[in-house]
Amino acid sequence: EKEVNSMIGRNPDFARRVAIDFSDNLASAKMLIPIPDDFPIMAGEILRVNTGLDIHLDANRRPVVALVGVSLMGVPIPNAWLGNMK
């Protein structure tokens, strides 16, 4: 975790927008995404996104990565909206 966040920290602009946290079989990311001024909704605002990835090896020792959840501005996105990304 420290190494990944230190690589992110090498770019000061990126470091202010992304933080990654690791635990058993889970990687969580917190991101601040600026919305362009010419975007029709929330122009010029900052979108806060939290997401998690389940990371493990299957029975054949192949890596499996699955989206655990996504929230925008603290509101969880329904699994049906995530479609085939899970």
Side-chain angles (χ1 to χ4, degrees):
E1 177 179 341
K2 289 179 184 178
E3 290 82 3
V4 171
N5 282 317
S6 70
M7 287 189 307
I8 291 171
R10 289 184 185 164
N11 182 338
D13 189 42
F14 195 56
R16 284 183 275 144
R17 296 186 180 145
V18 176
I20 297 178
D21 188 29
F22 293 106
S23 61
D24 291 338
N25 296 332
L26 182 68
S28 302
K30 297 177 184 177
M31 300 169 280
L32 299 174
I33 301 171
I35 299 175
D37 290 329
D38 60 348
F39 197 74
I41 301 171
M42 296 177 56
E45 298 291 323
I46 303 290
L47 182 65
R48 187 182 49 183
V49 179
N50 293 333
T51 186
L53 293 173
D54 178 21
I55 304 169
H56 64 276
L57 297 175
D58 67 3
N60 296 327
R61 311 251 333 131
R62 293 181 299 186
V64 176
V65 178
L67 196 59
V68 174
V70 176
S71 68
L72 300 174
M73 303 300 280
V75 178
I77 301 299
N79 289 338
W81 289 11
L82 298 175
N84 292 330
M85 294 188 331
K86 273 195 112 165

